[in-house]
Amino acid sequence: MSESDTVAAALDEELVDAVPESAIDEEDRLRPEFVDRVLDAVEAGDDATARELVEPLHPADVADLIELAANDERDGLVRALAEIVDADVLAEMNEHVRETLLDALGPDAVAKIAGELETDDAVAIIEDLEEDEQRAVLSAMEPDDRAAVEEALTYPEESAGRLMQRDLIAVPEHWTVGQVIDYLRSTEDLPTDFWEVFVVAPNHHPTGTCKLSTILRTPRTVQVRDIMISEQTLIPVDMDQEDVALRFQKYALVSAAVIDSSGRLVGMVTVDDVVHIIQEEAGEDVLLLSGAGEEGDINEPVMESYRNRVRWLITNLGTALVASTVISLFEGAIEQMVVLAVLMPIVAGVGGNAGTQALAVTVRALATNQLTGSNRWRAVGREMRVALLNGVTVAALLGVGVAVVFANPLLGGVIAAAMLTNILVAGTVGSLVPLTLERWEIDPAVGSSVFVTMMTDSMGFLIFLGLAVASGLV
Amino acid sequence: MSESDTVAAALDEELVDAVPESAIDEEDRLRPEFVDRVLDAVEAGDDATARELVEPLHPADVADLIELAANDERDGLVRALAEIVDADVLAEMNEHVRETLLDALGPDAVAKIAGELETDDAVAIIEDLEEDEQRAVLSAMEPDDRAAVEEALTYPEESAGRLMQRDLIAVPEHWTVGQVIDYLRSTEDLPTDFWEVFVVAPNHHPTGTCKLSTILRTPRTVQVRDIMISEQTLIPVDMDQEDVALRFQKYALVSAAVIDSSGRLVGMVTVDDVVHIIQEEAGEDVLLLSGAGEEGDINEPVMESYRNRVRWLITNLGTALVASTVISLFEGAIEQMVVLAVLMPIVAGVGGNAGTQALAVTVRALATNQLTGSNRWRAVGREMRVALLNGVTVAALLGVGVAVVFANPLLGGVIAAAMLTNILVAGTVGSLVPLTLERWEIDPAVGSSVFVTMMTDSMGFLIFLGLAVASGLV
């Protein structure tokens, strides 16, 4: 070992010692120094140290650790942590990373993992597998678990049926609080996390719910029917998960009963399953509007990202051709006055930005159910008023600037008029396009951005160059 | 009444009859027909009918109804529903709409409303008021409530201290399950919604938590210290609400203890308070990236929207001038070959789209804590690989198309090379800019979009026009 190596090693050691006790920073992220220590231990073949470091972590953090490792480090890491990377860790893992891991395991191992999970988590793992793998895993599972998963898989993707747990506490109306407590104390095989008890009629239709806090605060002799809340939120088993999430949020629910088409209680959804969906669905809009695809994610395989994104770039190429065609109509004018080519991207670009602003606000309002048939036209009117104010301000700045710099007041007037008009177009299109897509039952975040940009580009060029010709400037 | 009026009235009645029983559609939105019925009743002076229609609704739906009414209908509606629009309804209401309503009420009325709410909801209402109104409302409140709100207001905005409830159940370690249940049954003034009991040491430091389900399932004689979970998530009172929300999500929490700087239990945060924040914070990115401002919302007053948006449009105007300056360097080339002006927006525009894709994915990964110091460079490398694939595909399509249409292979080659380079620039800038802002502790969603667009526009024009000149095309 050379002297500089020794110094580097000593420094390294100091750095390692300087790492705070905790593996996790104040924002609950694993510290890079900690990740490096674990990965270095694995690379050095010191699996025991790696296990010792990772052992105290929460399954969610173990999942993060595996996600943070590079592809070529991941296999070694997972092998070193074999016992720690259990079903709970897999349930917390990013689906792209999980898929790669599961592909490496055999169907028997996946079946064992799925058997240890609650139905909703098992379904989340199995539904992403390819059909033949899915069959192999299912046939390797215990009959009970298999039946539960198979039933869940009969419900549409992203529906309440896939999301729900089948294990729940249901009691008849005539039971007393004491009976409920005795039942809970004496029954072994109950779900671990539940926050409400569901009350059902003899035909297994839910008739009310009791919060556990209510049960705890009520004397043993009182009947459940006297303390239950009858206004309950029943979730149809085929309800879209986004609507389930919005409902949980709107009514501040902690859990809710899921019913089948005949009204029988078949499962429950709990808020911890919904929190992920709220985050995903709310974050999806920015991905969709950008054309990165709703699954866009730093763990997505490169080829999938390519496929998802290139479609939109090619669409964008097509819409850009429309804008180019508009410009080509004015080739003569540009040849005479080349400064038009210099200035035209300003009108298009700022208009595009104004359109994106209106689009973002409208898409969010639709996604959060703030925008309905009742206030649709008012929202468009509001966007146009904002656009008018923005347009006048930006047009005045731009018009005066151009008039002075080019010592050409008419050119200033033309670009100001074009800028104002294009910002008005942007506000109108930016709010109307998502509203129209929503009415056609198309996700308003998909594709609206490309269309709005096409309009603001084409109209920007058309209005500016057209006004230049019409005004006699060229 | 004319004949046509009578027909219209008959039709109206039929329409009204055709309205389904339920006021709410399958996505939990108020049906426009229902909203119209209520508003029509109010306009006709028939407050009793309006009240009768609205009475059965959940407070969250009453809040929606008031939001859906136009500004000039809102006062009449609120007056007609006076008793129904209570503290709970106000707590559910969009803050812009609520502010307008509260401005119309006197400080005494607001103080009364705040007194009826839990601390976190009261704080949410009072913190938005202007300082002198705030003082007037606080001095009109009951001393106890005032003290609680004043204390909450000493914590930073958007911190756990503002979010938490001070009412919670805390019991000493040596109590038995029976003692806890008896305490809950015999104490009158307890919070209505709680899902866990906190266990505290004599110095009021939390030492563990017990889920209510665990308490219900454990015999009365067992001590709380034997069933409590000691690994708890303690939330510092000054923690940012976004970090609180991420923690709830990561560890699937339903409630968590909040501690002050000396480690004493001062409150609890429950998941229903956090769900709104998850939704807001995740949805904020699309608003921030578009330059609509994080408060962008269809209920925001027009003047506020104008102020928030015009700043970004003016910034965008500035960056568009940079792109224009680049073009002006090539005026001679454009004069010689005007088709360059026709084609240059394609290179800039598609590059901009590719940049936005990379930006959206990176911003989301940062916001969800998937991207840390451990995988930063890998994420940039990944974006560049995706960019290379996208670039080659789009450049090939565009290059061949241009070469054929203009019968000019050199022009095709130039635009293809420019397109490929600009998409590579877009991928690099789109991932590096948010990562750099994050390292500088600036919100990566703020401003990154304008900067990335400036780069893809300027570089698009520079590379395309520069290559055209360098290749001897003009």
Side-chain angles (χ1 to χ4, degrees), chain A residues 49-119:
Chain A
T49 300
R51 271 198 297 273
E52 202 178 304
L53 285 166
V54 176
E55 192 76 67
L57 297 185
H58 186 279
D61 288 309
V62 181
D64 280 359
L65 174 68
I66 293 167
E67 289 172 27
L68 287 173
N71 284 330
D72 55 349
E73 300 165 322
R74 218 168 259 159
D75 286 347
L77 178 64
V78 171
R79 210 174 308 115
L81 303 178
E83 296 111 76
I84 301 174
V85 183
D86 58 7
D88 288 331
V89 171
L90 282 168
E92 299 279 354
M93 203 175 289
N94 176 282
E95 57 182 289
H96 298 298
V97 177
R98 185 171 62 207
E99 235 168 279
T100 330
L101 289 189
L102 292 182
D103 282 348
L105 298 171
D108 289 331
V110 179
K112 189 165 161 284
I113 288 166
E116 287 165 22
L117 292 170
E118 293 189 5
T119 317

Side-chain angles (χ1 to χ4, degrees), chain B residues 274-297:
Chain B
V274 167
V275 161
H276 288 272
I277 293 167
I278 293 177
Q279 147 87 275
E280 276 170 30
E281 299 279 348
E284 217 175 80
D285 285 343
V286 69
L287 296 169
L288 287 173
L289 281 176
S290 78
E294 59 180 318
E295 312 260 299
D297 172 326

Side-chain angles (χ1 to χ4, degrees), chain A residues 61 211 250 279 305 382, chain B residues 61 193 250 305 364 382:
Chain A
D61 288 309
K211 288 180 196 167
K250 181 170 182 179
Q279 146 88 274
S305 295
R382 187 186 162 283
Chain B
D61 288 310
D193 281 7
K250 180 168 183 181
S305 294
R364 282 310 297 151
R382 189 185 160 281

Side-chain angles (χ1 to χ4, degrees), chain B residues 73-90:
Chain B
E73 299 166 323
R74 217 167 260 158
D75 286 347
L77 178 64
V78 172
R79 209 174 307 115
L81 303 178
E83 295 112 74
I84 301 174
V85 182
D86 58 7
D88 288 332
V89 171
L90 282 168

Side-chain angles (χ1 to χ4, degrees), chain A residues 26-29 32 35 58 60-61 64 67-70 94 181 184-185 187-188 190 192-195 211-213 216-218 220 239 243 247 249-252 254 271-272 275 278-279 282-283 286-287 289-292 297-300 302-303 305-306 309-310 313-314 316-317 321 324 327-328 331 334 338 341-342 344-346 349-350 353-354 356-357 360-361 364-365 368-370 372-375 378 382-383 385-386 389-390 393 397 438, chain B residues 26-29 32 35 58 60-61 64 67-70 94 181 184-185 187-188 190 192-195 211-213 216-218 220 239 243 247 249-252 254 271-272 275 278-279 282-283 286-287 289-292 297-300 302-303 305-306 309-310 312-314 316-317 321 324 327-328 331 334 338 341-342 344-346 349-350 353-354 356-357 360-361 364-365 368-370 372-375 378 382-383 385-386 389-390 393 397 438:
Chain A
E26 66 286 353
E27 292 183 26
D28 295 323
R29 296 176 295 207
V35 175
H58 186 279
D61 288 309
D64 280 359
E67 289 172 27
L68 287 173
N94 176 282
I181 295 179
L184 292 176
R185 284 199 187 134
T187 314
E188 282 292 314
L190 291 181
T192 49
D193 282 7
F194 60 95
W195 318 100
K211 288 180 196 167
L212 296 191
S213 57
L216 273 169
R217 301 191 54 195
T218 306
R220 288 180 67 91
M239 189 180 213
D243 296 331
R247 183 177 285 186
Q249 194 191 334
K250 181 170 182 179
Y251 300 122
V254 166
V271 68
D272 54 305
V275 161
I278 293 178
Q279 146 88 274
V286 67
L287 296 168
L289 281 175
S290 78
D297 173 326
I298 54 163
N299 291 303
E300 190 178 42
V302 168
M303 284 308 292
S305 295
Y306 164 61
R309 295 195 202 172
V310 82
L313 293 180
I314 292 172
N316 196 236
L317 188 60
L321 289 178
S324 283
I327 300 173
S328 70
E331 281 190 7
I334 292 173
V338 76
V342 172
M344 67 186 185
I346 301 179
V350 178
N353 193 179
T356 310
Q357 291 178 335
V361 170
R364 282 311 297 153
T368 52
N369 279 350
Q370 288 186 284
T372 76
S374 296
N375 56 353
R378 212 157 63 236
R382 187 186 162 283
E383 280 305 325
R385 287 208 300 282
V386 176
L389 291 169
N390 281 334
T393 309
L397 280 173
E438 168 93 357
Chain B
E26 66 286 353
E27 293 184 26
D28 296 325
R29 294 174 296 205
V35 175
H58 186 280
D61 288 310
D64 279 359
E67 289 171 27
L68 287 172
N94 176 285
I181 294 179
L184 293 176
R185 284 198 186 134
T187 314
E188 283 292 316
L190 291 181
T192 47
D193 281 7
F194 59 97
W195 318 100
K211 288 181 196 167
L212 297 191
S213 58
L216 273 169
R217 301 191 54 197
T218 306
R220 287 181 66 92
M239 190 181 213
D243 295 330
R247 183 175 286 187
Q249 193 190 335
K250 180 168 183 181
Y251 299 123
V254 166
V271 69
D272 54 302
V275 161
I278 293 177
Q279 147 87 275
V286 69
L287 296 169
L289 281 176
S290 78
D297 172 326
I298 55 164
N299 291 303
E300 189 179 43
V302 168
M303 283 309 292
S305 294
Y306 163 61
R309 294 194 201 171
V310 82
W312 287 110
L313 293 179
I314 292 173
N316 196 236
L317 188 60
L321 289 179
S324 283
I327 301 173
S328 69
E331 280 190 6
I334 293 172
V338 75
V342 172
M344 66 184 185
I346 301 179
V350 178
N353 193 179
T356 310
Q357 291 177 336
V361 170
R364 282 310 297 151
T368 52
N369 279 351
Q370 288 188 283
T372 76
S374 296
N375 56 352
R378 211 157 63 239
R382 189 185 160 281
E383 280 306 324
R385 288 208 300 284
V386 177
L389 291 169
N390 282 334
T393 311
L397 282 171
E438 168 93 357

Side-chain angles (χ1 to χ4, degrees), chain A residues 408-428:
Chain A
N408 187 339
L410 182 54
L411 181 61
V414 164
I415 202 168
M419 190 72 259
L420 170 61
T421 315
N422 204 27
I423 290 183
L424 285 171
V425 168
T428 316

